[in-house]
Amino acid sequence: MSMWFAVLHVLVISYIVHFLVPTPISCGTRAVDLPDTRQIVLCPANCTLWSLSVFGSGVYASISSICGAAIHRGIIGLSGGPVEVHGLQGRTNYLSSYAHGIQSQSLSQWSSSFTVARTISLPLEVSSQTSSSANVASGAAKKPVKKTVKKPPPPTTANRDCPVDMALLLDGSYNIGQRRYNLQKNFVSKLVAMLKVGTPGPHVGVVQTSETPRTEFYLSNYTTAKDLTFAIKEIPYIGGNTNTGKAILHTVRNFFNPDFGVRRGYPRIIVVFVDGWPSDNVEEAAILARESGINIFFVSVAKPAPEEMSLVSEQDFMRKAVCKDNEFFTFTMPSWFSTNKFVKPLAHKLCSIDQMLCSKTCYNSVNLGFLIDGSSSVGDGNFRLVLDLLVSIVRNFDISDIGSRIGAIQFTYDQRMEFNFNDHTTKDNALRALQNIPYMSGGTATGDAINFAVRSLFKPRTGPNRNFLIIITDGQSYDDVRGPAMAAQREGITVFTVGVAWAPMEDLKAMASEPKESHVFFTREFTGLAQFQQPIVRGICRDFTEFN
């Protein structure tokens, strides 16, 4: 038995030497130079005297200096020391920042990454075994002390009921100061934990407001609450004026970009934190945000006292900045102290998708129903030109399960539901379904087709989206069209008509919504249909805006 203890002792020592004894490296050694994905290294002293290349913040590209990253992260100081290196997969958008005397650089993407951490002391079991090596050899080893290992908490599940893309605009101005800035980061970290950030739920990025706004990280950089909280705590304080309007403009124009992780069809939110009041005008930026379908929430902390209002250039800045002046989009806190009670109510607001009024644009909040004439006079070749028009219209809209939807009915004397609003909830699938509709051939009963569309396509629950019906026909209907069209409009359906060849203008106007001149389109040839794509899309957006 003593032989087995001796063998075990040798294995333990080997483990310690290989995994727990730091490997000396130079100041310039990069993570890509290490043989193992997880390793403890020993950085020498005075690495800050070197010109070190560091790419990223918190998570670093593997071509970065390990010791430089450890100093930037605050793991070691001038005297150097041990650092635990964890290899990670590559990523995009490594962000630059300044911390602990090191200015890291940005990098668009790299094939592998790493993080650095402080080393931990040896486990109690290993320490007791190695300290009794003489007794092990003599067979008089003491039993290892059992240590209760605390199980880590289960991973946080992403909040599927909060599918939003959110930019947090932190106040990094001179108004807030370093101390309150840190309290702000603590509050935001708790907010992120309450939101339960994750892939199927909310995605969060951060922009810092100061003299010149700075994107700290984008939506795709951190997709777990733990990583995001870690990154928020590392954001350094900038200082400068509170140029909130400039920060909102920067976020609208540069942050919400598909290249940086913005998801199609998801509500977009800007949460503006301001300590005191803005230094610049916010109204112009807020208008651009609303027109872009972005909901602005304004969190005011320590709002100006009555005697300070003379210092505020835009006294009703909160009312002008938010998505809608209905009190839902504003939130106030008296100070940054004792803010725990405000975390849950703010998180609840930010996840109230149905009240995101500015998310509802004409591109992501409409149901488009297509009523397609499949009669014998159309012909298969011309039928394909009709479908080409419909495809070009749909390409303009954000089709998703929480965005816009499309449905299609082909009619002759009979009607055929090609697909309804719930059948295809991605743009690619919807476009493919449209392109693959087979031509029917037969007579023309447009009135019956309108009744069928109201009854079978629009009458089932279609959600809060605005309803539009686009009718395309090339000839005279054998039944009445005025009555069914009026009934459809009474149900809240806006009707556009597109006539080709022998379609009577009287019927087209009878079916279309008011004003007739902007809802009726006509061409003698099927080849002329393509010209109507943009006017129809603009008409839908015009009607949507006026309705809302």
Side-chain angles (χ1 to χ4, degrees):
M1 184 65 70
S2 61
M3 183 189 307
W4 287 109
F5 277 116
V7 171
L8 179 61
H9 173 63
V10 171
L11 293 174
V12 169
I13 294 297
S14 299
Y15 171 84
I16 293 171
V17 171
H18 189 268
F19 292 100
L20 301 180
V21 175
T23 303
I25 61 172
S26 69
C27 294
T29 300
R30 306 171 304 171
V32 74
D33 300 325
L34 298 183
D36 299 317
T37 57
R38 180 173 180 178
Q39 193 167 338
I40 297 177
V41 298
L42 183 64
C43 288
N46 300 317
C47 281
T48 52
L49 302 178
W50 293 69
S51 179
L52 304 174
S53 295
V54 179
F55 299 90
S57 301
V59 177
Y60 304 92
S62 62
I63 52 171
S64 303
S65 158
I66 296 171
C67 299
I71 296 170
H72 181 266
R73 186 75 182 83
I75 302 300
I76 60 173
L78 288 174
S79 58
V83 177
E84 189 169 347
V85 182
H86 295 262
L88 301 172
Q89 293 181 341
R91 59 167 54 200
T92 58
N93 301 320
Y94 295 90
L95 300 177
S96 64
S97 65
Y98 179 82
H100 305 102
I102 298 290
Q103 176 64 59
S104 70
Q105 304 174 58
S106 61
L107 189 64
S108 59
Q109 68 177 70
W110 194 251
S111 57
S112 56
S113 313
F114 72 99
T115 59
V116 289
R118 291 184 176 85
T119 57
I120 58 173
S121 58
L122 298 183
L124 181 60
E125 294 89 342
V126 173
S127 300
S128 64
Q129 288 287 345
T130 54
S131 64
S132 58
S133 56
N135 292 332
V136 170
S138 64
K142 296 179 181 178
K143 292 183 178 180
V145 179
K146 291 185 177 180
K147 183 180 179 181
T148 302
V149 179
K150 187 177 180 181
K151 293 183 179 180
T156 303
T157 304
N159 186 0
R160 294 176 180 271
D161 295 327
C162 187
V164 298
D165 286 342
M166 186 182 306
L168 303 178
L169 270 58
L170 303 190
D171 189 341
S173 68
Y174 291 140
N175 276 0
I176 193 169
Q178 180 71 64
R179 184 189 181 198
R180 295 202 303 273
Y181 175 76
N182 290 337
L183 292 173
Q184 175 186 217
K185 290 199 296 182
N186 290 340
F187 175 80
V188 169
S189 295
K190 294 172 185 174
L191 178 65
V192 166
M194 180 66 69
L195 289 172
K196 297 181 181 178
V197 172
T199 300
H203 284 189
V204 175
V206 171
V207 174
Q208 187 171 173
T209 302
S210 61
E211 187 73 35
T212 301
R214 185 173 75 186
T215 300
E216 300 295 349
F217 48 84
Y218 292 99
L219 297 166
S220 58
N221 287 124
Y222 305 101
T223 53
T224 68
K226 181 179 178 182
D227 291 344
L228 187 58
T229 300
F230 182 82
I232 289 170
K233 290 181 178 178
E234 291 301 305
I235 299 174
Y237 171 57
I238 299 177
N241 287 326
T242 316
N243 287 336
T244 307
K246 188 184 289 187
I248 294 172
L249 280 175
H250 167 84
T251 307
V252 173
R253 291 170 174 168
N254 304 305
F255 183 90
F256 289 107
N257 187 312
D259 293 338
F260 302 142
V262 173
R263 297 170 291 181
R264 293 185 69 88
Y266 282 67
R268 299 171 186 179
I269 299 173
I270 294 177
V271 186
V272 182
F273 292 91
V274 172
D275 185 288
W277 58 87
S279 304
D280 63 349
N281 186 287
V282 300
E283 186 172 16
E284 180 183 348
I287 290 172
L288 179 62
R290 287 192 288 270
E291 290 177 348
S292 303
I294 299 172
N295 300 271
I296 294 185
F297 284 80
F298 208 97
V299 180
S300 176
V301 183
K303 63 181 182 180
E307 61 271 17
E308 296 175 316
M309 289 303 294
S310 61
L311 304 173
V312 183
S313 59
E314 196 172 26
Q315 298 196 0
D316 52 353
F317 59 88
M318 286 183 67
R319 183 179 64 80
K320 292 181 177 179
V322 294
C323 164
K324 193 174 183 65
D325 183 26
N326 61 358
E327 298 186 356
F328 175 75
F329 293 93
T330 56
F331 198 86
T332 59
M333 298 190 296
S335 74
W336 289 110
F337 299 95
S338 303
T339 56
N340 286 347
K341 62 184 178 183
F342 297 110
V343 175
K344 188 173 181 179
L346 179 56
H348 178 72
K349 277 195 173 190
L350 298 178
C351 292
S352 299
I353 309 300
D354 291 343
Q355 298 191 58
M356 300 296 175
L357 301 180
C358 288
S359 295
K360 301 181 187 302
T361 69
C362 62
Y363 299 108
N364 64 21
S365 298
V366 296
N367 295 320
L368 302 180
F370 297 117
L371 200 54
I372 310 165
D373 187 343
S375 62
S376 302
S377 57
V378 175
D380 188 67
N382 290 332
F383 187 77
R384 296 300 135 194
L385 293 176
V386 171
L387 297 183
D388 288 344
L389 170 64
L390 302 187
V391 166
S392 68
I393 291 172
V394 171
R395 289 190 191 280
N396 292 272
F397 295 89
D398 293 328
I399 310 300
S400 75
D401 57 345
I402 59 173
S404 293
R405 299 170 184 249
I406 68 168
I409 296 169
Q410 186 177 176
F411 70 94
T412 57
Y413 284 138
D414 296 318
Q415 305 86 33
R416 185 171 73 193
M417 178 71 72
E418 302 293 352
F419 53 88
N420 63 37
F421 292 133
N422 297 314
D423 286 340
H424 302 291
T425 54
T426 68
K427 179 177 285 190
D428 287 344
N429 288 345
L431 292 174
R432 194 177 302 114
L434 264 180
Q435 291 167 329
N436 291 332
I437 292 177
Y439 173 51
M440 287 175 65
S441 184
T444 308
T446 312
D448 281 350
I450 296 172
N451 287 332
F452 179 81
V454 172
R455 182 174 66 250
S456 303
L457 187 61
F458 290 100
K459 270 296 180 67
R461 187 178 181 276
T462 56
N465 289 0
R466 177 80 188 276
N467 292 322
F468 292 85
L469 179 64
I470 300 171
I471 304 171
I472 302 182
T473 181
D474 82 326
Q476 175 81 48
S477 177
Y478 288 95
D479 59 0
D480 173 60
V481 297
R482 184 183 299 274
M486 294 300 295
Q489 293 173 42
R490 285 194 295 271
E491 293 292 336
I493 302 169
T494 301
V495 179
F496 286 84
T497 57
V498 181
V500 189
W502 307 110
M505 182 59 69
E506 182 181 351
D507 283 2
L508 296 177
K509 289 183 176 180
M511 293 185 289
S513 295
E514 295 287 352
K516 303 297 183 180
E517 59 270 16
S518 60
H519 290 84
V520 175
F521 300 88
F522 179 80
T523 177
R524 282 292 177 193
E525 304 292 336
F526 281 89
T527 52
L529 286 172
Q531 66 183 305
F532 299 142
Q533 179 244 317
Q534 279 303 320
I536 290 174
V537 171
R538 284 197 298 267
I540 291 169
C541 285
R542 180 192 60 247
D543 290 347
F544 179 90
T545 303
E546 290 177 358
F547 179 81
N548 287 287

